[in-house]
Amino acid sequence: MYATIVARDNLLNASSASTEVSATPWASLDVTIQPDYGRIATQTTERTAITSTTTNGGFGSALAIGDFDGDGDIDLAIGQPAAGGIGSVAVFDAMTGGSIATLLSGNPAEQYGAALAAGDFDGNGTMDLAIGEPAGTVGQVYLVEVTSSQQIARLDSLSVGGAFGRSVAVVGDFTGDGQVDLAVGEPGYNGGAGRVRQYDGATRTETDTVNGVSGDRFGEPVVAIGDLNGDGRGDWAAAATLAASGSGYVSLVSGGTAIELARINGAFAGSWFGQAITVTDGLIAVGAPGAATGALRPGGVAVFSTTDTTIVWAYWGDLDGARLGSALLWTDDLNGDGHADLLAGAPEAAPGATTQGAVYVLSGIDGRLLFRIDPDGSASGSRFGATLARIGDDIIIGAPDDDRGASGAGRVSLQKLRRLARQAFPTTSGTLAVTATPAVSQLEVRINGGPWQLTPISSTLAVTTPADGVHNVEARGVDSEGHRGSVTNTTVRIDLATPVTAWISWPVSATTVSGSTALTGAVTDATSSGSAGMLAAEWSLGLSTTTGWRWHNGYAVTAPEPFWFTRETTGPVGFTLPTTGPGQWQIRLRGRDGAWHAGPVTSVLYEQTP
């Protein structure tokens, strides 16, 4: 655990303290405990929502944020590509919900607003919009000044049926002229091979093109990834979701040279790997909404290093048909472990009795489920979580088929993040960081009402607590004359004991099973009665071969336990072993407690017949 201790004295310095012995000192210590690792409970509440009344308009199909009216506040642009058969983009003040502008196209049935990206295209310091209109004969992208609704420029394609503008990204500076440039996806080009076209943002001329292979649909989506190769130019990533029978791949491309820097291949046929892509410092998250696990097809997310494209972790959904990974967005650190966390949309999820959609919030460091955002009162088929954005502590979630305004009209929810107290510290001892005014010469610290321990002032102070449980830590300052300041205190929850795992029902090891077999395990923890205790059960499933483990997620590795599938739980965890074909399978189980200790692994090895 870490804390900051501040001690002050009304005496100006140590020398005055020795002469003005009659002075009454004032000492105040402000103790804050910040553990090196633990868990902050987080939840959301809907702050406001914007609901469309246009039947089957698809309001919320695309989102973009930026200061579009120049008032210094971030605004929200929402695509409604089927509005009135033409399409529109509505721009709102994100704080008040007030309308700023409504942008319209005069082209019927061409899906104006299907893709959005924000950038300053005219150099006046205010953000403009790039608006994709991919369903026309050739497809177009409009660059628009929002408040005046004036068109700055239009980008056109000469390829019939190419769906030019299905995705649009504002990608740094390709050309080195200081102006933001664009990458535009055209996934239907050349019979569905697809391509991405780069444009100079100042001249609006095409500078380079990267082509896909027949049937790949390369360029849906395309996203900015910063300067990946360090050449000072903006780079981008694009997916070919239908490549290799739908296994898909993601290509990382240099904006300066239009040369592929690296490629990440999907591992599941039909997974649509690359349907969503988002990048943070050193990590790229890729959605695979069609990914299957056993007999289920919940979708999932895989996170890779941008340095060498090795996999870091993966998370597969728990609701069949949810299409988890259809939308992705990195956020700030929500659980206090020092790493950005990840939002993952599952627009076909059925968390209740109907298919409404959901948003999963995953730990950026290891992929564990932190919490899930379920829709508030939306009807079946709303596709809540189809699109994602974030402004400050507001998570913006699109539900383009929501029926509350009209049938299929769409709705956008602004959810306010609330961070709650940390649940547990992972060790019984830690270090306090100490700051004090010159007049304070020593500190006194005690734990659980025990004796005061006098400690010299230093930059750090070691504090040890007796055992697991809740402990009270008190501190006060002492000046050179022995005057003691007022006491400040805080409570800390310590959780050192690891959880216990056990099987309740399972096939006898090394026996043969046929078809699906039920298996139930339990995870428990010694401190489960407090705010610590069990948080999750984790399991992994592998196929034993002569070359090592081939894990059920499809990524071949040689080291055991490369990552784990995580489920929040407070009781037994049940599984049905999938019918995966003949072979020798092993399933492993372990628990995680409130301090995120991993319990010992217990496993079962069995033979499965067709």
Side-chain angles (χ1 to χ4, degrees):
M1 57 187 172
Y2 297 92
T4 300
I5 298 180
V6 182
R8 300 180 180 87
D9 197 300
N10 70 340
L11 304 178
L12 297 178
N13 51 50
S15 61
S16 64
S18 62
T19 56
E20 298 178 357
V21 294
S22 61
T24 302
W26 173 79
S28 174
L29 292 93
D30 181 15
V31 179
T32 303
I33 302 296
Q34 295 180 327
D36 55 348
Y37 196 71
R39 193 171 186 274
I40 292 180
T42 313
Q43 64 185 41
T44 63
T45 54
E46 187 172 85
R47 179 175 66 81
T48 188
I50 305 171
T51 302
S52 172
T53 57
T54 302
T55 300
N56 297 323
F59 183 77
S61 295
L63 304 172
I65 62 171
D67 180 10
F68 300 116
D69 58 3
D71 66 353
D73 295 326
I74 300 298
D75 306 311
L76 174 63
I78 303 174
Q80 190 172 221
I86 295 176
S88 67
V89 177
V91 184
F92 296 89
D93 184 302
M95 290 304 298
T96 67
S99 176
I100 294 175
T102 299
L103 310 175
L104 301 170
S105 167
N107 302 321
E110 296 194 0
Q111 296 185 4
Y112 180 85
L116 299 174
D120 181 8
F121 305 122
D122 55 9
N124 68 355
T126 300
M127 298 296 273
D128 308 306
L129 275 174
I131 304 172
E133 187 181 62
T137 302
V138 294
Q140 300 171 106
V141 173
Y142 299 85
L143 307 184
V144 180
E145 200 281 327
V146 172
T147 55
S148 68
S149 302
Q150 293 298 307
Q151 179 177 300
I152 300 169
R154 189 182 73 191
L155 310 178
D156 297 293
S157 172
L158 299 178
S159 174
V160 175
F164 177 80
R166 176 66 66 188
S167 56
V168 182
V170 175
V171 189
D173 180 7
F174 294 147
T175 60
D177 63 357
Q179 179 85 14
V180 294
D181 301 314
L182 296 103
V184 180
E186 193 174 12
Y189 170 74
N190 191 21
R195 64 180 175 180
V196 175
R197 303 170 70 178
Q198 297 186 181
Y199 288 86
D200 185 309
T203 65
R204 290 100 196 189
T205 56
E206 185 175 352
T207 59
D208 280 296
T209 300
V210 179
N211 294 308
V213 178
S214 179
D216 284 359
R217 287 193 66 82
F218 181 69
E220 185 180 11
V222 57
V223 300
I225 59 174
D227 181 12
L228 194 63
N229 60 349
D231 64 355
R233 308 296 172 89
D235 303 320
W236 51 268
T241 55
L242 297 187
S245 301
S247 295
Y249 69 82
V250 173
S251 179
L252 311 183
V253 179
S254 165
T257 63
I259 295 174
E260 184 178 78
L261 301 172
R263 178 175 294 194
I264 305 171
N265 292 307
F268 298 103
S271 67
W272 310 306
F273 181 82
Q275 186 74 41
I277 305 168
T278 184
V279 176
T280 190
D281 187 21
L283 296 174
I284 179 169
V286 181
T293 173
L296 306 180
R297 190 174 288 275
V301 181
V303 172
F304 303 84
S305 165
T306 57
T307 302
D308 56 13
T309 68
T310 56
I311 189 167
V312 178
W313 57 261
Y315 179 90
W316 309 124
D318 54 352
L319 300 172
D320 190 23
R323 294 185 181 270
L324 177 67
S326 293
L328 296 174
L329 180 69
W330 288 105
T331 75
D332 294 339
D333 176 20
L334 301 182
N335 65 334
D337 62 7
H339 297 265
D341 297 313
L342 184 68
L343 305 177
E348 303 296 330
T354 59
T355 303
Q356 300 174 338
V359 174
Y360 288 65
V361 184
L362 306 174
S363 165
I365 193 172
D366 54 20
R368 70 187 184 276
L369 179 64
L370 301 179
F371 63 103
R372 191 181 69 198
I373 306 172
D374 294 332
D376 180 16
S378 64
S380 177
S382 66
R383 298 186 63 236
F384 180 85
T387 52
L388 296 168
R390 186 175 178 200
I391 300 176
D393 278 344
D394 281 338
I395 294 175
I396 304 165
I397 304 173
D401 292 346
D402 191 279
D403 292 334
R404 271 175 274 195
S407 178
R411 185 175 187 265
V412 173
S413 172
L414 281 71
Q415 302 264 341
K416 192 71 172 179
L417 275 171
R418 295 179 60 225
R419 293 175 179 83
L420 307 179
R422 193 178 291 271
Q423 291 188 337
F425 302 133
T427 62
T428 58
S429 64
T431 302
L432 308 179
V434 179
T435 58
T437 58
V440 177
S441 60
Q442 291 182 307
L443 296 174
E444 287 186 326
V445 178
R446 70 178 180 180
I447 300 173
N448 296 335
W452 288 100
Q453 301 292 325
L454 195 62
T455 305
I457 287 289
S458 65
S459 59
T460 61
L461 175 67
V463 173
T464 301
T465 56
D468 283 9
V470 179
H471 303 281
N472 186 50
V473 179
E474 298 174 283
R476 62 188 180 188
V478 182
D479 66 12
S480 59
E481 297 298 323
H483 299 114
R484 288 172 172 79
S486 58
V487 176
T488 186
N489 70 288
T490 187
T491 58
V492 298
R493 187 179 301 278
I494 300 297
D495 184 3
L496 181 66
T498 56
V500 176
T501 61
W503 295 117
I504 297 174
S505 65
W506 66 94
V508 177
S509 190
T511 59
T512 299
V513 299
S514 178
S516 295
T517 302
L519 182 146
T520 304
V523 288
T524 57
D525 187 77
T527 55
S528 292
S529 59
S531 296
M534 291 311 307
L535 289 178
E538 296 184 317
W539 60 277
S540 64
L541 178 64
L543 175 62
S544 181
T545 69
T546 57
T547 58
W549 288 103
R550 179 171 64 82
W551 294 93
H552 189 57
N553 53 50
Y555 294 96
V557 296
T558 56
E561 304 166 21
F563 51 82
W564 292 76
F565 302 88
T566 304
R567 300 288 182 270
E568 295 281 320
T569 185
T570 55
V573 181
F575 310 100
T576 299
L577 302 182
T579 305
T580 52
Q584 193 176 60
W585 290 85
Q586 185 171 43
I587 187 166
R588 300 172 181 229
L589 177 69
R590 70 183 179 188
R592 288 280 194 178
D593 63 15
W596 208 242
H597 297 119
V601 176
T602 183
S603 64
V604 170
L605 183 69
Y606 69 99
E607 187 81 17
Q608 185 164 353
T609 60

